[in-house]
Amino acid sequence: MHRSILVACLACCLATTVNCTTVGSFSATGLRSSGSPMRLKGGMPTAPAPVRVKSVDEAISVYSKKDRLALTLADFMREETLRNPTKDNADLEHVFSGISAACRAIADMVSKAGIQDMTGLAGTGENIQGEEQKKLDILSNDVFKDKLRKTGCMAFLGSEEEDSAVVIRGPRRGDMVAVFDPLDGSSNIDAAISVGTIFGIYKGAKDKKEFPLQKGTEQIAAGYCMYSTCTILMITTGSGVNGFTLDTSLGEFVLTHPNVQMPKRGKIYSTNQGNCPQWSEKLRSYFDTVSSGKGQSGEKYGLRYIGSMVGDMHRTLLYGGLFLYPADAKNVKGKLRLLYEANPMAMLAEQAGGKASTGEQRVMDIQPDELHQRCPIFIGSAEDVDEVVSYVN
């Protein structure tokens, strides 16, 4: 009897196995012979989807962007010098080596500011701009000065944080001038919002006794470094704009944004709209027009404003649109500094196909009278700048 029961059980198990393999779905009464694949609750098939197998080279290309990240900033500048072996290009190779070293150091300080007591005011009072200095303002300024001085290419340095220009003397004196805002948007530091460094480079100063005040058109290089979710260095040497992202595992800036071109028009404007009551009626009417979709493009524009020129300009450079800080009743000459904010950004914008205007003239055509001179600015996509200037004028 026990033997017959055992045989019956085995036969039942065999039948169930065969049915599960060939039929594969269950009903309330047991197995049904529908021929459909077995499904779990929710209707998803249990059979695994075919797996696509990539070659090693393909996987590296997709996930590591090996084809683009192989070119470092040092490689890029060396190739520029090899293509055009002038002393200026050779010097720029050293200058950008110093700038990249400074930006790496500042990026590290910014990322650790909250845990190394580098946030808050420095307690040194106001700088020449009438602004309270943050701890990182001073540290970033010292780092940038030190790295540029050690290139052996500099004759003068002009910084937002210095009352007057710094003169380089002795064997390290070179022929170039660097102007820079070492930490733009530093009021955002304590809130961990993106900040950056802005710089412009000039030449022909080795035999000068006084700091040479030159138009933006005389710049031979310009750029900014943004410290945010990643660290990005955008530069121009007068032949287009290229962007490099800091690979922290290598300690190198690698090319990630080759030949950046700004869209001819965007759908975003960046400005401190809290100043709107102090703007001219014509400028206010521009914002009423574009924000309601009645401007030249017919698109409704949106406001995006970080409060750091580097952050706002980086988005504008990539997506198009308009960044502006116009003159108003409070700042009749504008707010941003011509030499180390407006001019470098104007050079980048123009090299990427955009424009930069004061509302009356091209920004880079202004002859500066002093190191910390201010100016109004309308900068961004060419068609957007033309449209807003038509209202201002």
Side-chain angles (χ1 to χ4, degrees):
M1 177 178 178
H2 293 294
R3 183 177 178 182
S4 62
I5 292 172
L6 180 60
V7 169
C9 288
L10 287 171
C12 183
C13 289
L14 264 171
T16 302
T17 303
V18 170
N19 283 334
C20 284
T21 306
T22 58
V23 179
S25 64
F26 291 87
S27 66
T29 58
L31 296 171
R32 66 181 175 142
S33 54
S34 62
S36 61
M38 182 165 60
R39 295 180 180 273
L40 297 176
K41 185 177 180 181
M44 297 299 292
T46 59
V51 177
R52 179 174 172 240
V53 179
K54 295 185 177 73
S55 69
V56 173
D57 288 341
E58 185 182 9
I60 289 174
S61 177
V62 171
Y63 295 112
S64 299
K65 302 289 189 278
K66 182 181 177 182
D67 53 330
R68 290 190 294 142
L69 300 192
L71 192 67
T72 67
L73 176 61
D75 295 333
F76 180 87
M77 294 307 301
R78 192 175 304 115
E79 287 185 5
E80 289 280 300
T81 303
L82 290 172
R83 276 195 295 268
N84 187 15
T86 64
K87 185 179 185 307
D88 288 345
N89 280 344
D91 284 349
L92 281 177
E93 203 176 327
H94 295 300
V95 169
F96 275 104
S97 175
I99 287 173
S100 64
C103 292
R104 288 196 301 269
I106 295 171
D108 183 64
M109 291 191 296
V110 169
S111 68
K112 296 175 181 176
I115 57 176
Q116 292 191 349
D117 192 30
M118 289 190 289
T119 58
L121 298 176
T124 56
E126 296 181 346
N127 61 13
I128 188 66
Q129 318 296 333
E131 301 166 345
E132 287 282 349
Q133 287 183 306
K134 297 290 186 81
K135 293 176 183 177
L136 277 181
D137 282 325
I138 295 174
L139 291 170
S140 300
N141 186 53
D142 288 345
V143 166
F144 223 76
K145 286 192 302 180
D146 179 64
K147 297 300 183 184
L148 285 173
R149 181 176 59 84
K150 288 177 178 176
T151 64
C153 300
M154 293 293 152
F156 294 93
L157 304 175
S159 168
E160 181 190 25
E161 302 302 329
E162 304 280 346
D163 293 357
S164 56
V166 177
V167 183
I168 308 298
R169 295 187 173 89
R172 282 184 168 156
R173 183 176 175 86
D175 187 53
M176 293 188 172
V177 175
V179 289
F180 53 91
D181 181 348
L183 201 63
D184 170 67
S186 58
S187 60
N188 288 328
I189 277 288
D190 296 357
I193 297 172
S194 62
V195 293
T197 300
I198 310 172
F199 58 88
I201 308 295
Y202 298 80
K203 67 174 183 176
K206 186 166 189 176
D207 298 324
K208 304 284 185 182
K209 294 183 179 180
E210 300 292 333
F211 182 85
L213 294 166
Q214 298 170 276
K215 294 180 180 180
T217 51
E218 300 299 316
Q219 290 176 115
I220 61 171
Y224 64 77
C225 189
M226 183 178 70
Y227 315 109
S228 184
T229 53
C230 58
T231 300
I232 298 181
L233 180 61
M234 302 291 282
I235 69 167
T236 180
T237 56
S239 54
V241 176
N242 292 279
F244 300 80
T245 300
L246 179 62
D247 184 337
T248 54
S249 64
L250 299 176
E252 293 273 7
F253 282 95
V254 291
L255 181 65
T256 52
H257 297 72
N259 192 29
V260 175
Q261 290 294 306
M262 191 185 299
K264 294 297 182 184
R265 188 180 281 278
K267 296 189 292 185
I268 296 171
Y269 64 87
S270 299
T271 188
N272 184 352
Q273 205 154 3
N275 293 330
C276 182
Q278 302 175 61
W279 293 338
S280 68
E281 184 178 344
K282 290 181 179 180
L283 186 56
R284 291 199 300 269
S285 70
Y286 165 78
F287 290 106
D288 292 340
T289 301
V290 296
S291 61
S292 61
K294 297 177 182 178
Q296 293 175 3
S297 70
E299 297 277 358
K300 291 184 69 172
Y301 280 46
L303 170 66
R304 299 288 185 274
Y305 186 61
I306 297 171
S308 162
M309 188 184 191
V310 168
D312 284 313
M313 269 303 299
H314 185 68
R315 181 189 57 248
T316 303
L317 196 63
L318 298 182
Y319 299 164
L322 182 68
F323 174 88
L324 63 155
Y325 215 118
D328 55 37
K330 181 180 177 182
N331 301 290
V332 293
K333 294 183 178 180
K335 176 96 181 271
L336 299 182
R337 271 66 58 153
L338 172 64
L339 281 176
Y340 43 81
E341 290 175 329
N343 273 338
M345 288 299 193
M347 184 178 184
L348 284 165
E350 291 191 6
Q351 285 293 317
K355 288 186 176 182
S357 171
T358 65
E360 296 180 351
Q361 67 179 119
R362 181 188 180 201
V363 167
M364 292 202 295
D365 283 339
I366 301 172
Q367 175 59 54
D369 299 319
E370 58 172 319
L371 175 61
H372 301 291
Q373 182 173 333
R374 299 174 188 260
C375 74
I377 191 167
F378 302 86
I379 183 171
S381 296
E383 292 179 8
D384 285 317
V385 172
D386 287 342
E387 184 175 2
V388 70
V389 167
S390 71
Y391 279 78
V392 174
N393 286 338

